[in-house]
Amino acid sequence: MEKAKQYVAMVGGVLGALLLFFQALGFEISLFNEKTIDAFLNFLLAAVPLAFALYGVYKNQYLLTKKALEQEKTLEKQGLK
């Protein structure tokens, strides 16, 4: 999870650098400022762990495939479950 936070921080650094670059060129984009960058980074910091958790739940759900369902039935017949 620490690696994901590092990637989000890198995205924030790139967005901050782009903001400074645009300001240096004289472009003022009202929707692209420090507040919106911070809000986007906060969203990513919440969404990335959620995505990992949902992927983990999906991968650990054994009844999603036909093969897994057959294995579940076999284990129940053998009394192993």
Side-chain angles (χ1 to χ4, degrees), residues 21-80:
F21 176 71
F22 288 142
Q23 287 176 346
L25 292 176
F27 293 118
E28 291 292 328
I29 304 171
S30 62
L31 294 177
F32 188 62
N33 56 38
E34 292 173 13
K35 286 183 181 180
T36 57
I37 291 173
D38 288 340
F40 181 67
L41 292 180
N42 287 335
F43 167 75
L44 285 180
L45 286 173
V48 169
L50 176 64
F52 282 135
L54 291 174
Y55 180 72
V57 168
Y58 169 76
K59 288 300 281 184
N60 289 321
Q61 179 58 265
Y62 296 114
L63 300 178
L64 291 176
T65 64
K66 186 175 180 180
K67 180 180 175 184
L69 188 58
E70 290 173 6
Q71 183 180 9
E72 179 81 12
K73 289 178 183 178
T74 304
L75 288 173
E76 286 177 0
K77 284 180 186 177
Q78 294 175 354
L80 297 174

